[in-house]
Amino acid sequence: MAEINFAEIEKKWQDAWEKEKVFEVSEKSEKEKYYVMEMFPYPSGEGLHMGHAFNYVIGDVYARYKIFKGFNVLHPMGYDALGLPAENAAIEAGVHPESYTNKAIKNYIEQQKMLGLSYDWNRMINSADSSYYKWDQWIFLKMLEKGLAYRKKAPVNWCRKCNTVLANEQVHNGKCWRHEDVEVEVKHLEQWFLKITDYVDELLDKIDDLDWPERTKTMQKHWIGKSYGTEIEFEINSEKWSVFTTRPDTIYGVTFMVVSAQHERLMELVTEEKKEEVKKFLKKLKSVSEKELEEMEKEGVFTGSYAVNPLTNEKVPVYAGNFVLAEYGSGMVMAVPAHDQRDFEFAKKYNIPIKIVIQPMEYEITSEKMARAFTGEGKLVNSEKFDGWDNKEAIDEITKFLKEKNLGRSSVQFKLRDWLISRQRYWGTPIPVIYCNECGIVPVPENELPVELPKNVKFGKGNPLETNEEFVKVRCPMCGSNDARRETDTMDTFVNSSWYFLRYCDPKNSSAIFDKKKVKYWMPIDTYIGGKEHATMHLIYFRFYTKFLRDLGLLDFGEPAKKLFHQGMLHGEGGIKMSKSKGNVVNPDKVSKKYGIDTARLFLLSLASPDRDRDWSEKGIQGTSKFIKRVWEFFEKYSKADMVSNPPPFPSPTHPDGGMNSETASNSQNKWFAHQFGNSSKRLESKLNKAIKEISENIEDFRYNLAVIKVRQLFFTIEEEKEISKKDLESFVKIFSVFCPHLAEEFWERIGNERFDERGEKRELKGESGREQKFVCLSSWPFADESKIDEELERVEKIMEKTIEDVNHIIGMIEKEVSKVYIYVVPGEIENFDVGVLSDRFGKQVEIFANNDKGKYDPEAKARKAKPGKPGIYLE
RNA sequence: GCGGGAAUGCCGGAGUGGUCAAACGGGCUUGGUUUAGGUCCAAGUAGCUUAGUGCUUACGAAGGUUCGAAUCCUUCUUCCCGCACCA
């Protein structure tokens, strides 16, 4: 068998697709649009690995399928090019983020092209390009204008040696990533926020309408975290502090308060003599990361201040605690140790009194004997005028009472907080704002956008942007004073990914963020594919941005993506996470060289349902490789018989330029192949149409693994058949092409759909119809003719298989040598059994009788066992 | 800690209230083809039992709902994802 020259075939078709602009689309089409996209990647210096490839192939199969089904398919790709790793590379290796990123992008594009993906490369986006981030800045200005961008103090991780803010990822065990001896400090800085909370109700309510995985929708709901409760005013040092609680019924049981250790105004509460102690406690905070805080032991320290309970006028101590979120509610909680487990543990630890205010119905609890908080229902006690109330009813009643006294009010709280977008870093979108001593915060005028990142900056100490004086020192656009200072914070890179899907619709527009008409045509995204790790952040941010842009009047819809699909993670061999440090990164280039990229594609998709995690396996791909070779050989055999007498009139992969001469070409190409094609049997037609129907459904539902199985089975059926019609073999090639596009194009060409007209002349391709014939990927999806599906045939085939299995079973069981097989069938079924087929399968002589045949040979009366669908068997 | 998932033969996985648990692939065993190896072909691959049958065991563990559970509920174990400055 000839080796398959994958590299040559892949290159040939990738070039052809590109040259003929096969996947370039425009909104000027009669066809119905379909927008499918995968989340754009951060172009890391480590390059593309198989996990990425898997993600893109999932989208590619879907896009190709939709093209087949007659849609005008937008399938774009871009690069989320701004981000921390490029900056880390600058600090550690002295590479400028721009060159690092450009190199990485170049590498990504090259690798992605090798995967044979159906992207419209014309629409490629690079978020690090100022022509893109200009519009990030533009959106920011619009938000500022609408009051959705504002400044507020917020905690950050600070390393005093780097003299800069650290990302959570740059904090290792509370120490700086570059200075193992430096404990990270928590500092408060003025930062920019986007008021996503203005959209909180819509973000929550519209989740139900989305065709997204339920688990993701649930996660978003919990993340937004709407809860109803009561805001209660406590007085501390003659100042009002309101706290949010869902349990106002326990207000008489408050024995202390806890303010978040990261609260902006914490120090206002700390008395002079407690300052040292509190500062010492704050030093223990390892980073601002909530995950780390939650994993720390719950601890606190007394601030020296007391809060006055508005209903009892009791004074209770105020603690600073590491387990209270600064951003939720007011950053302070009232603690009721008798009825909240966390408060209970805290009270036990610091010897704070426990006061029971709810007694259960069936038994009595006492504060001395309590082993844990009582969180169940019961009657209020020690609650003055509310004694005896059912605690559930008391919730409303006490809230009402507080409201009357002007000491509180019912309130709704969300876990979702405003989006902190300020980053004290270089490789991000500059925030287009100028600070003027006279005019204050001045937005950069729209016509001065983009505010470009200056190339000349120093890395390693402080915020790089501050090292470029030309950038920082500017004239105030308002008053003209030369004393103004440019904002040196850049934006969170999630900003860039919050609207890129809109830019794909009109990627080169330099006068507007996008053309409304183009966006109206393509949007919303019909199917969005990406990892589940984005369930709560990116996938909420992009919904927020869409709603904001709608309210600006640019869009007429509020949800960016109708359908969402999460692909599973690809792990390395043996289930180990793929990473450079573990040395188990599977590189698509290498796999491609060894097995062909189509083989890798098919293997990844056949492993498991695409939404499940899977492990790469060298042995596994070998199995797929075997199948691919077999398919190749089949199509090769189709032309081999003729090669003896007639060289093929098309360039074969082994003879790139060979085989072309006018004499052979003058043999009509159809005639040339005619004798190889014939009529498909009823059996083949049945199986083919069934396969088309089921494979279509499977692809539609992202059950690619099941589709692949059916493709394999269909191929085996075709292999078994003596002849096949050209149309039916074409159907197979079409289906095969969504998974293995390069090989399929090759087969398509070979079975005579390309380049030569009836006279053997090279066909001039004009317009779309020409392209459609030239490329299998632009032909149309085979129609599933359900009238040709013969279930009876399938049933009969099963009976045959079962009979064969039974015979083999018996042969394996009995001692004696078997030379003849006798089969006794009920009279109506006798035509289902084919002596020739059966003797072939057993390699033995076979005789078949009707069980009522008087002349039959049946020494052990096995004919009696014959039932419909289950013949009697005798062996000797 | 909080929120969301997952667990099925030797392995990867199908199957989400009954018709069939293990489709399909891989591995392994036996036999055939082959100069040999690979390829390829055939049969087998929980246990007992039987001329093709029947029974038992079996879907992470333990309970529960149901006439009936891999599938629904509860608790637990292990693993994965996210937790707001990684993207």
Side-chain angles (χ1 to χ4, degrees):
Chain A
M1 185 196 82
E3 276 294 302
I4 312 173
N5 192 337
F6 288 110
E8 199 167 57
I9 295 168
E10 287 162 14
K11 179 98 182 28
K12 171 180 164 188
W13 293 105
Q14 283 158 17
D15 289 352
W17 292 328
E18 193 164 327
K19 192 164 158 260
E20 301 278 347
K21 304 183 192 303
V22 161
F23 300 113
E24 285 182 24
V25 286
S26 110
E27 60 285 349
K28 293 185 193 80
S29 167
E30 313 254 290
K31 294 177 184 171
E32 196 181 329
K33 71 95 185 180
Y34 197 91
Y35 190 176
V36 52
M37 63 180 284
E38 301 101 57
M39 289 178 185
F40 69 166
Y42 175 77
S44 111
E46 292 175 25
L48 198 75
H49 63 63
M50 250 326 157
H52 297 107
F54 175 53
N55 180 216
Y56 307 136
V57 169
I58 289 172
D60 190 57
V61 169
Y62 215 74
R64 286 174 179 275
Y65 173 73
K66 287 291 176 184
I67 294 171
F68 263 127
K69 290 295 260 185
F71 290 91
N72 187 30
V73 174
L74 176 57
H75 186 213
M77 181 41 63
Y79 302 93
D80 190 12
L82 295 165
L84 191 62
E87 196 154 333
N88 289 347
I91 295 168
E92 289 193 311
V95 195
H96 195 278
E98 190 178 63
S99 49
Y100 170 93
T101 304
N102 286 342
K103 201 175 145 200
I105 289 178
K106 203 171 152 249
N107 187 24
Y108 262 62
I109 293 175
E110 215 168 278
Q111 291 194 82
Q112 281 175 311
K113 287 197 172 168
M114 286 172 61
L115 299 174
L117 304 171
S118 53
Y119 295 134
D120 179 351
W121 283 107
N122 226 4
R123 294 172 182 264
M124 198 261 279
I125 280 172
N126 172 359
S127 69
D129 195 304
S130 62
S131 68
Y132 181 85
Y133 67 65
K134 171 182 177 178
W135 302 106
D136 279 316
Q137 295 171 340
W138 184 82
I139 296 171
F140 177 87
L141 292 178
K142 291 291 166 201
M143 290 215 183
L144 192 61
E145 204 180 300
K146 305 278 176 201
L148 286 172
Y150 67 95
R151 272 161 74 80
K152 188 176 84 173
K153 273 201 168 168
V156 292
N157 305 309
W158 183 265
C159 169
R160 62 190 150 74
K161 269 207 184 160
C162 300
N163 193 33
T164 193
V165 174
L166 300 179
N168 286 340
E169 202 188 51
Q170 293 171 317
V171 179
H172 301 310
N173 291 320
K175 307 275 196 324
C176 170
W177 63 306
R178 294 168 65 206
H179 306 102
E180 275 185 34
D181 53 330
V182 178
E183 301 254 1
V184 169
E185 295 165 51
V186 174
K187 259 196 167 185
H188 286 81
L189 298 180
E190 267 307 286
Q191 314 211 46
W192 285 100
F193 284 82
L194 299 183
K195 221 169 176 181
I196 189 172
T197 52
D198 263 20
Y199 286 88
V200 70
D201 283 315
E202 197 188 344
L203 286 169
L204 183 64
D205 295 344
K206 300 291 184 205
I207 291 175
D208 287 323
D209 304 341
L210 297 169
D211 181 12
W212 286 18
E214 278 312 313
R215 58 179 196 263
T216 304
K217 297 208 272 186
T218 309
M219 263 198 259
Q220 289 212 348
K221 284 181 191 170
H222 286 289
W223 184 263
I224 292 169
K226 187 175 191 171
S227 60
Y228 297 90
T230 306
E231 226 175 88
I232 304 174
E233 308 235 326
F234 282 72
E235 202 180 282
I236 309 172
N237 306 335
S238 324
E239 235 189 287
K240 297 264 185 208
W241 287 72
S242 69
V243 302
F244 175 80
T245 178
T246 54
R247 294 292 306 273
D249 52 322
T250 63
I251 186 166
Y252 289 91
V254 174
T255 56
F256 61 102
M257 309 283 284
V258 187
V259 59
S260 167
Q262 297 194 44
H263 200 288
E264 203 194 323
R265 291 170 61 201
L266 169 64
M267 285 330 256
E268 293 174 26
L269 298 173
V270 181
T271 56
E272 218 34 65
E273 61 267 30
K274 290 285 174 187
K275 280 227 156 94
E276 274 311 297
E277 214 178 315
V278 171
K279 278 186 177 159
K280 219 171 103 194
F281 172 71
L282 293 183
K283 283 223 159 157
K284 284 204 277 189
L285 299 180
K286 292 172 161 182
S287 95
V288 299
S289 154
E290 265 170 40
K291 183 169 56 173
E292 287 207 22
L293 282 174
E294 287 288 339
E295 278 161 3
M296 280 166 74
E297 204 188 329
K298 309 285 165 278
E299 283 184 355
V301 59
F302 180 41
T303 60
S305 292
Y306 291 86
V308 181
N309 184 323
L311 293 192
T312 62
N313 286 322
E314 276 171 344
K315 277 189 153 191
V316 294
V318 178
Y319 282 75
N322 63 6
F323 59 95
V324 175
L325 293 177
E327 305 292 330
Y328 185 64
S330 54
M332 189 186 292
V333 296
M334 59 178 227
V336 186
H339 305 293
D340 181 283
Q341 186 58 22
R342 267 215 302 209
D343 297 348
F344 182 84
E345 281 163 25
F346 194 89
K348 282 280 173 198
K349 187 165 180 170
Y350 295 101
N351 275 318
I352 305 167
I354 293 168
K355 183 181 170 194
I356 291 168
V357 289
I358 298 170
Q359 278 293 347
M361 302 296 192
E362 285 87 28
Y363 54 101
E364 198 178 332
I365 52 172
T366 62
S367 53
E368 295 77 34
K369 285 190 193 155
M370 278 180 115
R372 62 167 57 94
F374 171 68
T375 53
E377 291 170 26
K379 292 258 183 263
L380 260 58
V381 295
N382 297 322
S383 299
E384 298 176 4
K385 60 180 275 199
F386 297 101
D387 280 356
W389 277 77
D390 177 280
N391 80 297
K392 283 247 170 191
E393 290 166 17
I395 291 178
D396 284 342
E397 203 54 31
I398 289 178
T399 304
K400 226 166 89 192
F401 182 66
L402 285 163
K403 204 173 165 187
E404 277 163 21
K405 299 249 164 187
N406 203 21
L407 295 167
R409 62 209 66 86
S410 56
S411 144
V412 177
Q413 281 289 326
F414 293 92
K415 276 209 198 86
L416 183 75
R417 336 194 262 262
D418 280 341
W419 179 8
L420 194 171
I421 58 155
S422 287
R423 297 291 182 271
Q424 292 68 38
R425 264 187 272 291
Y426 170 73
W427 199 232
T429 305
I431 295 176
V433 156
I434 287 164
Y435 300 99
C436 171
N437 287 336
E438 296 301 316
C439 317
I441 297 168
V442 182
V444 172
E446 260 183 51
N447 59 15
E448 285 178 27
L449 296 183
V451 175
E452 296 223 29
L453 275 173
K455 188 138 188 194
N456 181 22
V457 292
K458 293 187 184 73
F459 295 97
K461 268 237 150 145
N463 181 345
L465 280 177
E466 286 172 353
T467 68
N468 184 312
E469 215 170 287
E470 243 176 281
F471 177 79
V472 178
K473 283 192 77 174
V474 284
R475 220 179 110 261
C476 169
M478 204 105 103
C479 66
S481 146
N482 282 319
D483 249 359
R485 208 188 123 259
R486 194 186 287 285
E487 171 67 87
T488 52
D489 282 1
T490 52
M491 298 185 207
D492 179 3
T493 56
F494 272 122
V495 162
N496 308 296
S497 54
S498 292
W499 65 280
Y500 72 116
F501 45 92
L502 297 165
R503 188 71 179 170
Y504 280 141
C505 301
D506 190 14
K508 289 170 182 156
N509 197 327
S510 58
S511 60
I513 182 166
F514 48 73
D515 179 339
K516 273 166 78 170
K517 285 198 292 286
K518 289 183 179 173
V519 164
K520 193 181 164 81
Y521 175 78
W522 290 113
M523 285 292 292
I525 303 163
D526 292 283
T527 298
Y528 192 30
I529 300 165
K532 57 180 179 285
E533 67 273 18
H534 292 291
T536 48
M537 301 183 68
H538 163 62
L539 290 171
I540 285 182
Y541 295 144
F542 91 139
R543 295 181 60 216
F544 161 53
Y545 256 55
T546 303
K547 292 174 195 306
F548 173 71
L549 293 171
R550 174 202 58 198
D551 291 348
L552 274 189
L554 294 173
L555 309 173
D556 55 7
F557 52 89
E559 289 295 338
K562 284 198 267 191
K563 188 181 165 118
L564 173 72
F565 183 81
H566 293 309
Q567 84 278 12
M569 293 249 295
L570 178 70
H571 299 295
E573 197 94 30
I576 304 151
K577 202 171 173 165
M578 248 189 228
S579 79
K580 199 181 175 185
S581 59
K582 293 194 180 86
N584 63 347
V585 175
V586 181
N587 182 314
D589 315 15
K590 284 193 187 136
V591 173
S592 173
K593 244 176 226 153
K594 199 161 171 192
Y595 300 103
I597 201 61
D598 285 349
T599 309
R601 288 173 57 119
L602 193 68
F603 167 62
L604 286 172
L605 299 178
S606 53
L607 262 176
S609 176
D611 56 342
R612 292 184 61 136
D613 294 352
R614 75 249 356 266
D615 302 343
W616 179 260
S617 139
E618 194 64 22
K619 274 208 163 154
I621 194 171
Q622 282 168 14
T624 306
S625 180
K626 237 160 48 181
F627 173 74
I628 291 289
K629 280 185 184 155
R630 202 159 144 180
V631 176
W632 175 265
E633 267 181 89
F634 173 85
F635 280 90
E636 208 176 39
K637 259 187 244 159
Y638 247 65
S639 40
K640 255 193 184 152
D642 304 282
M643 285 165 102
V644 182
S645 49
N646 297 311
F650 52 80
S652 84
T654 40
H655 312 91
D657 300 303
M660 207 21 215
N661 67 61
S662 56
E663 204 194 317
T664 50
S666 68
N667 273 334
S668 146
Q669 186 169 349
N670 285 334
K671 192 182 150 206
W672 212 76
F673 279 101
H675 75 278
Q676 295 183 39
F677 292 110
N679 295 314
S680 297
S681 65
K682 286 259 185 291
R683 169 176 183 265
L684 180 55
E685 283 188 334
S686 169
K687 297 215 174 225
L688 174 70
N689 283 289
K690 196 171 178 179
I692 295 168
K693 179 170 177 273
E694 291 175 355
I695 291 168
S696 309
E697 288 165 2
N698 287 156
I699 293 175
E700 200 84 55
D701 301 340
F702 284 101
R703 289 147 70 89
Y704 294 168
N705 54 327
L706 301 183
V708 170
I709 289 167
K710 282 158 197 157
V711 170
R712 293 176 81 124
Q713 283 170 338
L714 175 61
F715 172 71
F716 293 139
T717 304
I718 292 172
E719 233 186 2
E720 282 161 18
E721 291 282 326
K722 290 194 181 73
E723 49 183 54
I724 182 167
S725 73
K726 179 150 184 270
K727 180 176 153 286
D728 287 349
L729 191 61
E730 279 181 10
S731 294
F732 172 77
V733 176
K734 288 172 179 180
I735 294 169
F736 188 67
S737 79
V738 298
F739 304 105
C740 300
H742 309 89
L743 292 172
E745 293 289 2
E746 191 66 27
F747 299 153
W748 187 252
E749 183 181 79
R750 289 185 164 214
I751 63 174
N753 289 283
E754 202 263 324
R755 293 188 187 211
F756 304 95
D757 61 18
E758 292 78 43
R759 294 178 316 254
E761 301 281 318
K762 204 159 183 164
R763 186 199 290 131
E764 282 302 316
L765 296 161
K766 282 188 193 128
E768 235 177 37
S769 56
R771 289 201 315 177
E772 279 166 9
Q773 284 197 42
K774 178 171 177 178
F775 295 102
V776 63
C777 65
L778 291 180
S779 65
S780 58
W781 193 247
F783 170 70
D785 184 350
E786 294 193 35
S787 70
K788 294 213 164 132
I789 301 174
D790 184 352
E791 295 295 347
E792 174 61 15
L793 186 145
E794 303 273 335
R795 199 183 66 82
V796 167
E797 216 162 70
K798 272 201 189 108
I799 293 171
M800 283 286 275
E801 286 305 318
K802 179 73 179 122
T803 304
I804 289 163
E805 201 183 305
D806 287 349
V807 170
N808 281 323
H809 189 167
I810 303 167
I811 290 173
M813 199 172 330
I814 58 177
E815 308 276 283
K816 62 179 180 183
E817 192 69 20
V818 175
S819 59
K820 276 190 97 167
V821 177
Y822 299 92
I823 290 173
Y824 312 97
V825 189
V826 295
E829 290 186 355
I830 197 148
E831 67 277 9
N832 296 340
F833 289 80
D834 183 320
V835 180
V837 170
L838 289 174
S839 14
D840 278 358
R841 287 288 290 268
F842 300 132
K844 303 192 193 313
Q845 217 184 321
V846 175
E847 280 198 59
I848 298 174
F849 299 102
N851 66 338
N852 60 357
D853 182 346
K854 293 225 169 66
K856 65 183 179 283
Y857 176 76
D858 185 16
E860 289 191 14
K862 296 290 184 192
R864 280 185 320 192
K865 286 203 162 191
K867 284 180 232 150
K870 189 172 163 60
I873 298 163
Y874 176 68
L875 307 179
E876 67 170 29

